[in-house]
Amino acid sequence: MSTTLTAETTVLPETWSGEMRALLTIGVPMALAQLVQFSPYVADTLMIGRVGPAEIAAAAIGSVLYFLLWMLAIGPIAAVTPLVSQALGRDKGERRDVRRSVRMSVWICFLMFPLVVALLLMTEPIMIYAGQNPEVAALAQGYVLVLAPGLPFTLAVMTFRNFLATIERTMVPFLLIASAALVNIALNWILIFGKLGAPELGLIGAGISSSIASIYSFFAFVLYIRWDRRARDFDLFSNLWKPDWERLRTLLKLGWPISITSIFEGMLFNAGVLIAGAVGVIEQGGFQIALNVASLAFMMPYGLSMAGAVRIGLARGAENNSAERRAATTTILASTFAIGIFALPVAFAPEWVAAFYFNMDSAETLPVFDYVVIFLPIAAGFMLFDAVQVAANQLLRGLADVTWPMIITGISYWVIGFPIAYYTALYTDIGAKGIWYGLTAGLVAAFIGLGTRLWLQLRHPSPL
C-alpha cells in the first residue's frame, strides 16, 4: 500500500538521447563501481601471482566454491531491482513496499551464512574428488575459510546498491566501493607480504583482507543511507528485526530462477578452472589469470546493464512500452561500446596485458605467462557476445522475466558450451585452449537466445 494518497507515475524521457542520458547518469557510476568492486580480485591475483603458481591455482579453485555460494544468493538480491523499480514506476512516492523488499533481501544475505560455512569446510575433499592437486586443494581450503565471513556483508552491499540505483544515487556508492577497494589493496600489501611488522600470510592474508574490506563497505553504506536525504526518506532500517515472510517468499520466488541462471553461467567458467586443473597446474594458473582479465572487462557492461534493468523496470511499472524499447536499445549499445574499450588491448597487446600479473624476472612463473598470452586473444573474441547477452539478461530481469532466461542459459552453457570445452581440452590436441572455444560457443548461444527472448518481450509486453 502506498504511503501517498494518490499514485504519481514516474515521468520517463520521450527521446532516445534523453533515455541515453538517463541511463548513463546512473549507469556510468554503477559500471565504475562494478569495476572498482572487482579490482580487489584483480589485486589478489596480481599479488598472489608473485607468490607462486600453486597459490594462483589455489585461489582459482577456492573461488569456484566461494562464487557458487555468491551465485546462490544473488537471485533474491537481484530481485530487489525489478520489485523496487516497478513499484516506483507505478508510484514515485511509494515507500513501504520498497522498504519491505530491501529489508528482507538483507535478511537473506545473513540467513545463508551457516550454509556458506558448511559448504566451504568441504573445499579440500571436494576439490581432491574433482581431480585437483592435493597440495593446491589444501591451500584453497584455508583461503576460502577466511573469505567466508565477508560474504554476507558483500551481498548486503549489493542489495543497498540496487536500491540506491533506483533512486538515482550512484556516485557516492561508487566512491564508497572505491574506498573499500583501497582498504583491501592496502591490507593485501600488509598481510600477503608481511609489511609494517605484520606476519607474512601469503594466500591467507589475501582472504583476510577481502573479508575486512567487505565488512567496512557494509557499514559505510549503512551510514550513507542514514545520511542521504532521499535514501533516508525510505526509512530502510525501521523494524529491521521484524520478519516479513510474505515479501521474503516473493523475493525467493522471483530470485531462484535468477540464481540458477547465474549458476549456469558462472559455473561454466568455474568448470573451466577445474578442467584446466585436470590438464595441468601451469595451464590452470594461466587460465585463472586470463579469466581474471575477461572478468574485469565484463564489469563495465555488467554495471551498465544493471542500470538498464532499473530503467526498463521503471518503464514497465509506468506501463510505457516505448520507453521499455528505448531503455533496452540504449543499454545494449552502451554495454557493447564499454566492453570494446577492454577488448582491443586484450586482442592486440596480450603480452602487455599479461605482464601486469607477473614478476618477469622469475623463471618459475614464465610458463604461466606464455599460456596467458595464448588465451587472451581468444577471450577478446567472445567479449562482444558477452556484453550483449548480459545486457539482454539484465533487461529481462528488470521486466521480471526470469524463467525463460534460466532455460536459455542452461541450454547455452551446459548443453552447448560445457561439452565443447570438456571434450576439446581433455580429448583432443587442442588442450587448454579448447576450454575457451567452449566458453565462446556458450556465450554465442546465449547471445542469440536471450536477444530473441528480449525482442519478443518488447513486442508483447505481457509475459509469454
Side-chain angles (χ1 to χ4, degrees), residues 210-291:
S210 296
S211 284
I212 293 174
S214 297
I215 295 168
Y216 157 81
S217 182
F218 172 82
F219 286 105
F221 268 83
V222 169
L223 290 174
Y224 171 65
I225 289 170
R226 295 180 69 91
W227 171 80
D228 179 79
R229 180 188 58 79
R230 190 170 181 187
R232 188 175 62 239
D233 188 44
F234 287 82
D235 198 17
L236 290 187
F237 306 111
S238 174
N239 298 319
L240 181 62
W241 307 111
K242 180 181 178 181
D244 185 340
W245 304 119
E246 180 184 355
R247 184 49 52 95
L248 188 142
R249 284 192 295 271
T250 300
L251 285 164
L252 292 175
K253 181 180 179 180
L254 183 59
W256 77 262
I258 298 175
S259 292
I260 299 301
T261 300
S262 299
I263 289 170
F264 280 150
E265 180 178 6
M267 288 311 292
L268 174 63
F269 287 86
N270 286 332
V273 174
L274 300 181
I275 296 170
V279 177
V281 172
I282 300 299
E283 290 86 347
Q284 188 175 49
F287 182 87
Q288 171 64 9
I289 290 174
L291 182 60

Side-chain angles (χ1 to χ4, degrees), residues 312 324-325 327-329 331-332 388 391-397 399 401 405 408 448-460:
I312 204 168
E324 290 178 18
R325 295 182 184 185
T329 304
T331 300
I332 291 171
V388 176
N393 204 351
Q394 290 288 333
L395 289 163
L396 288 166
R397 289 180 191 177
L399 296 173
D401 180 27
I408 291 167
I448 296 170
L450 292 171
T452 302
R453 176 63 182 176
L454 178 62
W455 179 73
L456 291 172
Q457 277 285 56
L458 293 175
R459 288 192 64 193
H460 305 281

Side-chain angles (χ1 to χ4, degrees), residues 19-35 161 165 168-171 174 299-311 331 334-335 338:
E19 180 56 41
M20 182 63 83
R21 281 194 300 272
L23 172 73
L24 296 179
T25 297
I26 64 170
V28 170
M30 288 186 76
L32 292 174
Q34 203 63 37
L35 192 65
R161 284 182 57 202
E168 299 183 354
R169 292 293 190 267
T170 53
M171 184 54 69
F174 160 63
M299 291 301 114
M300 286 294 285
Y302 183 46
L304 286 166
S305 63
M306 290 170 66
V310 172
R311 298 299 308 163
T331 300
S335 298

Side-chain angles (χ1 to χ4, degrees), residues 93-350:
E94 180 61 71
R95 295 294 179 267
R96 180 173 177 270
D97 193 79
V98 171
R99 184 165 56 247
R100 293 173 66 199
S101 296
V102 175
R103 185 173 79 239
M104 285 297 98
S105 180
V106 172
W107 268 55
I108 291 170
C109 295
F110 287 93
L111 286 174
M112 71 168 291
F113 186 65
L115 173 64
V116 170
V117 175
L119 183 58
L120 293 182
L121 281 170
M122 298 186 290
T123 298
E124 184 175 1
I126 289 173
M127 291 304 165
I128 291 174
Y129 179 77
Q132 304 303 297
N133 182 291
E135 177 190 354
V136 173
L139 288 171
Q141 176 73 81
Y143 175 61
V144 296
L145 287 179
V146 293
L147 273 178
L151 182 57
F153 294 94
T154 297
L155 295 169
V157 166
M158 294 186 67
T159 292
F160 293 148
R161 284 182 57 202
N162 289 343
F163 156 70
L164 290 167
T166 62
I167 61 170
E168 299 183 354
R169 292 293 190 267
T170 53
M171 184 54 69
V172 173
F174 160 63
L175 296 175
L176 295 179
I177 293 294
S179 70
L182 291 174
V183 168
N184 195 352
I185 292 168
L187 289 174
N188 269 348
W189 179 74
I190 294 169
L191 296 178
I192 292 176
F193 303 114
K195 303 296 184 179
L196 303 181
E200 186 176 337
L201 299 177
L203 185 62
I204 297 299
I208 294 172
S209 301
S210 296
S211 284
I212 293 174
S214 297
I215 295 168
Y216 157 81
S217 182
F218 172 82
F219 286 105
F221 268 83
V222 169
L223 290 174
Y224 171 65
I225 289 170
R226 295 180 69 91
W227 171 80
D228 179 79
R229 180 188 58 79
R230 190 170 181 187
R232 188 175 62 239
D233 188 44
F234 287 82
D235 198 17
L236 290 187
F237 306 111
S238 174
N239 298 319
L240 181 62
W241 307 111
K242 180 181 178 181
D244 185 340
W245 304 119
E246 180 184 355
R247 184 49 52 95
L248 188 142
R249 284 192 295 271
T250 300
L251 285 164
L252 292 175
K253 181 180 179 180
L254 183 59
W256 77 262
I258 298 175
S259 292
I260 299 301
T261 300
S262 299
I263 289 170
F264 280 150
E265 180 178 6
M267 288 311 292
L268 174 63
F269 287 86
N270 286 332
V273 174
L274 300 181
I275 296 170
V279 177
V281 172
I282 300 299
E283 290 86 347
Q284 188 175 49
F287 182 87
Q288 171 64 9
I289 290 174
L291 182 60
N292 191 264
V293 174
S295 300
L296 179 65
F298 177 77
M299 291 301 114
M300 286 294 285
Y302 183 46
L304 286 166
S305 63
M306 290 170 66
V310 172
R311 298 299 308 163
I312 204 168
L314 290 169
R316 175 57 60 96
E319 299 182 353
N320 187 332
N321 185 240
S322 296
E324 290 178 18
R325 295 182 184 185
R326 285 191 291 271
T329 304
T330 54
T331 300
I332 291 171
L333 290 174
S335 298
T336 303
F337 177 80
I339 208 163
I341 296 171
F342 288 85
L344 290 175
V346 171
F348 296 107

